[in-house]
Amino acid sequence: MFGDAFRGRRVLVTGHTGFKGGWLAHWLLALGARVSGVALAPATTPDLFGALALAGRMDSRLIDIRDAAALARAVAEIRPEVVLHLAAQPLVRASYQDPKTTWDTNVGGTVNLLEAVRATPGVRAVVVVTSDKCYENHEWVWGYRESDAMGGHDPYSASKGAAELVVSSYRRSFFADGAVRLASGRAGNVIGGGDWSADRIVTDFVAALAAGRTLALRNPQATRPWQHVLEPLSGYLLLAARLLGEDGPAHAEAWNFGPGEQSVATVLELARSLIDAWGTGSVEAGGARPGQPHEAGLLRLDCSKAAARLGWRGAWDMPTTARATAAWYQAHQRGEDLRACTDRQIAAYVASQAGQRATWAG
């Protein structure tokens, strides 16, 4: 997979104790990488980091990326060849409650990481992961392209737009010679097994099932590009592999990794797909309560650039994503080996990509 680009390489994943970071660290280990991680301790109980037993399988360091000195020391000791930056304050509603921490982490933490990269010889490729919410959202019916303006209504979205500006500035100011290839990746609404964060629809769904409650939706008609966590992670890995290649500097840009039109759906449609996949449950589409913080009604990504230049496309539609997500949480409830379950889902996803003749899938 990915041209065997990661085998034996030193790869640093920031945010490895989180949902996307945990899946990414696990996949990189399977690809033969020498994985190190920098992150806070897991924020939930249970957590994916523990479920996949990552602490004993990689170099895991509990460091706050807001601590520039500690982060710089860790990066200097790890001497990574590849950096995948996922550490962030990832929740929209939490950003209303604590905007300063959101800005300090998502913008200041990105600056701290890139400063550490500047001071560390041997780094060749860096992918900074932001969000589809980095765009100035006019709720257009068409998808946003990488050249569209950055923005954001809430502190989280605005901080991700600002992080993109940081990446663009560092690329042009400090990495223009191509020695370090710096790119960014923007994904849609990511779901999958192992996410127990607050105010996530899947987390709320699983909690409602466990309590025998009806799932009440805040914004049932909001439309999002839903995708399984493996979709954007395959994009980030493919991008990092290309950055390592001879034409790597040509890929040091911003990239969208969102799902196809078949996965753009309302919150209500996703909830119903999860119920179908689980085999039980009920949903209440009551709408948002008065006084709730602003949430976008419509957001889409245009991923034609990744398709044309990287050969990357999503493989799973929304019902397939819902089935895989439900299966993972059901395996967790039954006490099954979650490393084996995660491996099976990675294998199934790669097989789907290979069936669509994705060259990275081998």
Side-chain angles (χ1 to χ4, degrees), residues 146-213:
E146 290 85 348
S147 56
D148 285 327
M150 299 292 96
H153 182 285
D154 54 88
Y156 168 78
S157 302
S159 73
K160 288 299 188 176
E164 285 283 354
L165 296 180
V166 168
V167 171
S168 177
S169 172
Y170 268 75
R171 182 189 300 119
R172 291 181 290 178
S173 298
F174 306 115
F175 303 136
D177 62 359
V180 177
R181 291 87 182 266
L182 172 61
S184 62
R186 307 160 181 177
N189 281 53
V190 177
I191 64 174
D195 185 4
W196 283 283
S197 300
D199 293 320
R200 302 272 208 194
I201 183 172
V202 173
T203 308
D204 293 345
F205 172 76
V206 174
L209 282 173
R213 293 185 284 103

Side-chain angles (χ1 to χ4, degrees), residues 27-250:
W27 198 353
L28 280 164
L29 287 167
L31 294 171
R34 297 160 60 187
V35 184
S36 297
V38 168
L40 297 175
T44 64
T45 302
D47 63 89
L48 184 65
F49 180 72
L52 298 180
L54 287 169
R57 302 165 55 210
M58 60 180 289
D59 171 20
S60 175
R61 305 179 185 218
L62 298 183
I63 295 171
D64 191 328
I65 62 170
R66 294 175 296 173
D67 186 337
L71 181 60
R73 286 194 297 271
V75 174
E77 291 171 3
I78 294 166
R79 297 183 300 113
E81 298 165 84
V82 180
V83 178
L84 295 149
H85 177 44
L86 282 74
Q89 191 298 96
L91 302 174
V92 171
R93 292 169 74 85
S95 76
Y96 282 106
Q97 298 162 4
D98 190 356
K100 186 177 187 306
T101 295
T102 301
W103 283 92
D104 288 348
T105 303
N106 296 353
V107 183
T110 300
V111 171
N112 291 342
L113 175 70
L114 294 179
E115 282 294 290
V117 166
R118 286 182 65 200
T120 305
V123 179
R124 293 186 56 192
V126 181
V127 177
V128 173
V129 174
T130 60
S131 170
D132 61 341
K133 296 177 181 64
C134 68
Y135 294 104
E136 182 63 42
N137 187 6
H138 302 283
E139 305 208 9
W140 291 324
V141 295
W142 53 84
Y144 290 92
R145 295 183 175 181
E146 290 85 348
S147 56
D148 285 327
M150 299 292 96
H153 182 285
D154 54 88
Y156 168 78
S157 302
S159 73
K160 288 299 188 176
E164 285 283 354
L165 296 180
V166 168
V167 171
S168 177
S169 172
Y170 268 75
R171 182 189 300 119
R172 291 181 290 178
S173 298
F174 306 115
F175 303 136
D177 62 359
V180 177
R181 291 87 182 266
L182 172 61
S184 62
R186 307 160 181 177
N189 281 53
V190 177
I191 64 174
D195 185 4
W196 283 283
S197 300
D199 293 320
R200 302 272 208 194
I201 183 172
V202 173
T203 308
D204 293 345
F205 172 76
V206 174
L209 282 173
R213 293 185 284 103
T214 295
L215 175 63
L217 302 178
R218 290 193 309 268
N219 198 358
Q221 297 307 317
T223 301
R224 299 285 187 271
W226 306 101
Q227 60 187 150
H228 191 273
V229 62
L230 291 171
E231 299 269 39
L233 295 189
S234 68
Y236 307 154
L237 290 170
L238 177 58
L239 176 57
R242 292 292 181 87
L243 291 172
L244 289 168
E246 291 184 3
D247 61 344

Side-chain angles (χ1 to χ4, degrees), residues 323-341:
R323 287 193 295 272
T325 300
W328 198 99
Y329 283 103
Q330 288 175 326
H332 174 262
Q333 288 192 348
R334 292 191 295 265
E336 296 180 9
D337 182 344
L338 294 175
R339 285 176 58 179
C341 176

